[in-house]
Amino acid sequence: MSPHGHTDPRWFAGNEPFSDATEMFIRPDHYVFRMLYSRGIPLEALGVPRRDGSVPDDDPRKAWRFLAGNYHLFRGTPSAYWLNYVFRFVFGMEEQLSAETADHYYDTIAAALSRDEFRPRALFDRFNIEVLATTESPIDALEHHRTIRDSGWGGRVITAFRPDPVVDPDFDGFAQNLDALSDVTGLDCRNYDEYLHALRLRREFFRSMGATSTDHGHPTAATADLGSGDARALFDRISGGGASPGDAELFRAHMLVVMAGMSLEDGLVMQIHPGSCRNHNTRVFEEYGRDKGADIPTRTDYVNDLRPLLDRFGNENDLTVIVFTLDESSYSRELAPLAGHYPILKLGPPWWFHDSPEGMLRMRRATHETAGFYNLAGFNDDTRAFLSIPARHDMARRMDCVHLAELVASHRLDEDAAAELIVDLSYKLAKDAYKL
Amino acid sequence: MSPHGHTDPRWFAGNEPFSDATEMFIRPDHYVFRMLYSRGIPLEALGVPRRDGSVPDDDPRKAWRFLAGNYHLFRGTPSAYWLNYVFRFVFGMEEQLSAETADHYYDTIAAALSRDEFRPRALFDRFNIEVLATTESPIDALEHHRTIRDSGWGGRVITAFRPDPVVDPDFDGFAQNLDALSDVTGLDCRNYDEYLHALRLRREFFRSMGATSTDHGHPTAATADLGSGDARALFDRISGGGASPGDAELFRAHMLVVMAGMSLEDGLVMQIHPGSCRNHNTRVFEEYGRDKGADIPTRTDYVNDLRPLLDRFGNENDLTVIVFTLDESSYSRELAPLAGHYPILKLGPPWWFHDSPEGMLRMRRATHETAGFYNLAGFNDDTRAFLSIPARHDMARRMDCVHLAELVASHRLDEDAAAELIVDLSYKLAKDAYKL
Amino acid sequence: MSPHGHTDPRWFAGNEPFSDATEMFIRPDHYVFRMLYSRGIPLEALGVPRRDGSVPDDDPRKAWRFLAGNYHLFRGTPSAYWLNYVFRFVFGMEEQLSAETADHYYDTIAAALSRDEFRPRALFDRFNIEVLATTESPIDALEHHRTIRDSGWGGRVITAFRPDPVVDPDFDGFAQNLDALSDVTGLDCRNYDEYLHALRLRREFFRSMGATSTDHGHPTAATADLGSGDARALFDRISGGGASPGDAELFRAHMLVVMAGMSLEDGLVMQIHPGSCRNHNTRVFEEYGRDKGADIPTRTDYVNDLRPLLDRFGNENDLTVIVFTLDESSYSRELAPLAGHYPILKLGPPWWFHDSPEGMLRMRRATHETAGFYNLAGFNDDTRAFLSIPARHDMARRMDCVHLAELVASHRLDEDAAAELIVDLSYKLAKDAYKL
């Protein structure tokens, strides 16, 4: 059950073989190349493409050797757990990755990938995935999802509605994205009412392509409930130029409440992923663009920030808002008390850097006493790394087992309740929360 | 030793039997009904009274069945630990509470409650309570405490002085409360000097009724030490209308320093419970009023906020200020260093949502290294749920044992020191801190 | 390997015997006397000197009896672990310190200290210290370091460059310190360019006396990258009078970036120790001065505060900036993600109150998954208490062993990797990070 993630639907549409180990495990994985970068290995040596798509030093085997020769940097990190799991259980490697085994790994993986049982759909089936959600922008035509659907293949790959590109005025290319949204809907998305209508239409289209959820990645958890006059004036400033400082944040905040309202209408589960300071490293951003391992968590204030949204919709039994955090101090102080009261709120699993054994245990221990288990949304892997999906779910289940075993061993939970809970935590809570 | 809590002195004055399981375990317990509410069960179905006192759907057995049928929501929560303890050790239940056993529970509890040994005073004696403190407003006449005292019953039930209703301008009915304070003292409490004098008189009266402590529940830990001219002008704005934004917070802050000064005079131990954003759910507050499980913790800054109070009184050996927190990040960063230096400060036990096994262990592990054990105020249950008192103390003692055992097993503490400490932590520290 | 600390180079220059137990264990140790003070024992009774250097009640044996008679206050604290270690392994004591053994301890320690093998250099050799760094102000002539160097003794005692007295406008005697810097360099340090040149000259001099690092203790982690015109105008206001509120903070912030630039030139490793609210207790500060146990940690925002420095120098492979924190909530949220990306950043060990078993474990568990082990700077003891150095390193190594053992036992780390890591963590990482 993989209800939220960032795999590429093209893989399952085309079902082409993956190319090589570097293409799979280094280039798309910011966890991996940021760590190598932190110890002085340049991004170009790892084959990470520049902003313009060029790869000056395009030698995947050489990049792979950098990872292999520096694999000790990953000791104790979730990246190592995931990679080791994939190496062992997907590719059958028996030695550790190291400078000595680098080429053996590279060649073995290349050979495997050329076989049919390593094509995306075969792996999907082998991984026993019941549902896999990808995440797309409202201006995406979802052609790959259509291809999958039309292909007759039985795998359930659905989309999720991620409107940041047309909702966040600070998003790269926001103005052009509004134009693209106009094009795809035939509406004038510089007009606030038509803009809202366009969003409704796209949500409807996404639902028709299987979407059961939306996702919102904002720098803060701020929400705002503007009257329609204020909202229209704000949108005019933002879409027409002349926005003042603070307008972007206010607009994002307002749009979270708008999106919650639409979710109440159309039933899409809402996810809020706040609190990442994106592209913190200016030089890396200028040369390599987004998602290069330089997104740094910040403090997040859920109590005040979510209040406008909760004032408006917090007591609705027909709305689900799944909240995530990068600020672990909020677990016991804010998120568990909020989720343990408001009917609309559920807590998402530990996210990003905290999707790790210690991070998972901290989250479980800090939330279950106040929110209970049944205000959790279960696990989701949130990954771009398709092959790591079984590894990630395996880790989450082990940590759930550790946590439940602690409770059982200290007589805080009956063993039969734990047996029921492990099924809930591994499967049912996610299925229910995401309406799958 | 229950030096701080919110049980109803009427119970011990009248010694009437408790009515039924819903009246005891659901209606007064915001931990319980907030969790059911979070999973979609309306408050009216649980018999929670509306603001006007009405209970539209007053069927206690039906409410009980809601709890019983959804008891899995409480798995792993302190509510379940407390309830299970009471069910087992007070009422002798041998099956788990569930939809199937709901009526059996309801009837067994009703039958028990009708017997004399389940009347409040009998339970008080059976629970082996040495002292029980309740908490009252300065305008309370303490008639129930007088009745208890005059009754000849040996149980020691004392009051504590909680002046929020006449000190916090944002408190419901603040203006009327000032009038009531005038009435009860025969002074003009719209005049700052008479207002202060009235507070002194009421403190004196509370002391005569056994009080050894005051308690202050403010949204922040802000303190301020205003000169008398500024204070008088501020009070005039607040009591006479015309207060500007920020005045309420400044007045609360100032009054904490005033109260500390009075405590230095009269010896009442001061408790500060800051950092709860009360009544976060606007609709629930409008319909059901205060204390409905919608109070959410916020970040609290003790270092800057307490400084005016500490500048004035921090070095007094004859003043005790017990500080609590809902922001666990402050334990090791702020509270333990402050308590490990200032003579007046002691740390209260984990409060509210953190009065739980994990919360207790986090607090112990985060504070003992910097504050030591002897800057702690021991345990207090802070509960409205009289029957849960033994369960809560039992849990705290177990967690102290877990913590001390960790230290002994890792050779950080001698076994004989641990044996002494468990008595201190369970009994002596509270007795000393609260001057009981 | 003791790459950062505050021992007195005079000890190793003069090699005179230490005087008595109070002089060694109470007077210089703010951990010790603050705890006694928190429970009502006056600083004068402990022989802590007043601001003017006077000790009204100068009776070291009496002070020692206060510690001995209240030694239970330190149960479970790192102070007790360190002291017990020193008592047992340096002085061979077999009984616990207590009121009964106070004089026996005092006399035994006095007798030992009079012997040659307890002189500073003999203990340095016995402790098997490879390098010991002290910390000095830019206006220090480093005469003791020169004496050590000229003495022919083989012990490696080096200095570190701590410019706060001439960089922090709020530092006691800042203006006089600028004059002293002018005197020692023959430059006019009220002129910004000459001031910068003077700092360069002193850094060069410190390097010639063995320094490999600088250290910066600011109230926040703020950095700023001012243009030279703005910087010059700011410095003129600050050095000439007429500084506006906020200027001091801005100047400190700017100087961190300046210092980073100089470190890139001359290779000195930069340490940033931010977030202590110094001298929180106004009365104690007025009577006794700095470093009296009244420094309280505050929240620190590394993500925004460090950004100007990181924008300028974050991607340099030839610069090392070691960051410390007193705000444990920043470990997993900010520091580990920053160190896991930026080439210049390494994480210092748990600092001050967090240099304790629980503090160390929290830090290790909260950082290793995101930063890995190789973005850590190993351990440093940061102590004024020379005799505690082996105890502190012993504790850190034990906690590293606990942590690695957890990872091995839960199959998150191979045993051979753990065996390599314990050597790295105990020795190599510090040696590399500090270029020793």
Side-chain angles (χ1 to χ4, degrees), chain C residues 10-217:
Chain C
R10 181 191 313 256
W11 298 332
F12 309 105
N15 201 32
E16 295 299 316
F18 293 109
S19 54
D20 59 61
T22 292
E23 189 64 39
M24 295 203 76
F25 297 117
I26 303 179
R27 285 197 191 178
D29 193 337
H30 51 75
Y31 288 92
V32 168
F33 58 69
R34 79 177 179 97
M35 181 68 92
L36 296 167
Y37 183 69
S38 80
R39 301 308 311 128
I41 299 167
L43 293 179
E44 54 260 34
L46 298 168
V48 176
R50 292 177 169 271
R51 225 173 209 281
D52 61 10
S54 69
V55 183
D57 186 14
D58 194 2
D59 183 342
R61 184 180 294 269
K62 202 177 105 191
W64 182 255
R65 287 176 184 159
F66 270 115
L67 172 62
N70 291 282
Y71 200 52
H72 65 287
L73 299 181
F74 295 90
R75 282 173 178 162
T77 69
S79 295
Y81 306 148
W82 299 326
L83 288 171
N84 290 340
Y85 185 104
V86 174
F87 296 156
R88 180 73 190 81
F89 294 110
V90 179
F91 293 102
M93 307 305 296
E94 306 217 330
E95 312 88 343
Q96 291 274 327
L97 179 62
S98 68
E100 289 69 39
T101 61
D103 284 345
H104 173 58
Y105 261 75
Y106 191 84
D107 296 331
T108 306
I109 290 170
L113 292 177
S114 69
R115 283 150 53 199
D116 279 350
E117 61 262 44
F118 284 85
R119 289 188 184 239
R121 291 185 185 175
L123 288 172
F124 187 100
D125 293 339
R126 175 176 164 192
F127 291 166
N128 196 26
I129 297 173
E130 186 173 320
V131 188
L132 178 72
T134 66
T135 308
E136 273 78 36
S137 154
I139 56 184
D140 191 300
L142 304 183
E143 53 181 325
H144 302 304
H145 287 85
R146 192 179 303 274
T147 304
I148 295 166
R149 170 171 294 204
D150 295 346
S151 72
W153 173 54
R156 187 174 172 199
V157 177
I158 62 177
T159 184
F161 184 77
R162 172 93 168 211
D164 299 358
V166 295
V167 155
D168 177 0
D170 292 330
F171 203 94
D172 243 10
F174 174 70
Q176 298 93 303
N177 295 339
L178 286 188
D179 293 340
L181 185 63
S182 299
D183 290 346
V184 77
T185 56
L187 294 165
D188 173 11
C189 292
R190 304 292 173 127
N191 171 293
Y192 182 61
D193 296 307
E194 297 198 35
Y195 166 76
L196 293 187
H197 188 51
L199 288 171
R200 267 197 193 87
L201 289 178
R202 297 309 289 169
R203 293 173 65 108
E204 188 54 38
F205 174 60
F206 272 60
R207 283 186 62 220
S208 77
M209 298 302 286
T212 69
S213 66
T214 71
D215 185 29
H216 307 270

Side-chain angles (χ1 to χ4, degrees), chain B residues 76-133:
Chain B
T77 69
S79 295
Y81 307 149
W82 298 326
L83 289 170
N84 289 341
Y85 185 105
V86 174
F87 296 156
R88 181 73 190 80
F89 294 110
V90 180
F91 293 102
M93 308 304 297
E94 307 217 329
E95 311 87 344
Q96 292 274 328
L97 179 63
S98 66
E100 289 70 38
T101 61
D103 284 345
H104 173 57
Y105 261 75
Y106 192 84
D107 296 332
T108 306
I109 289 169
L113 293 177
S114 70
R115 283 149 54 199
D116 280 349
E117 61 261 47
F118 285 85
R119 288 186 185 243
R121 292 184 185 175
L123 288 172
F124 186 101
D125 294 338
R126 172 176 166 193
F127 292 167
N128 196 27
I129 298 173
E130 186 172 319
V131 188
L132 177 72

Side-chain angles (χ1 to χ4, degrees), chain A residues 260-261 263-264 268 270 309 313 316-321 343-345:
Chain A
S263 275
L264 189 59
L268 290 178
M270 187 172 187
L309 190 155
F313 297 118
E316 299 289 347
N317 281 325
D318 293 331
L319 175 62
T320 298
V321 177
I344 68 167
L345 291 181

Side-chain angles (χ1 to χ4, degrees), chain B residues 310-386:
Chain B
L310 293 169
D311 267 355
R312 180 79 176 274
F313 297 118
N315 298 289
E316 300 289 348
N317 282 324
D318 294 331
L319 175 62
T320 299
V321 177
I322 303 174
V323 185
F324 297 79
T325 196
L326 293 172
D327 179 356
E328 293 183 301
S329 78
S330 68
Y331 283 144
S332 69
R333 187 182 54 221
E334 305 178 22
L335 290 175
L338 287 166
H341 168 70
Y342 281 101
I344 68 167
L345 291 181
K346 291 192 174 176
L347 302 187
W351 174 37
W352 207 324
F353 300 113
H354 310 313
D355 180 13
S356 64
E358 300 288 344
M360 288 178 180
L361 286 174
R362 279 195 295 267
M363 187 271 192
R364 282 151 175 74
R365 291 170 182 150
T367 59
H368 84 269
E369 296 183 320
T370 297
F373 287 102
Y374 293 93
N375 284 304
L376 305 181
F379 180 68
N380 65 64
D381 53 73
D382 199 357
T383 189
R384 299 163 201 276
F386 175 50

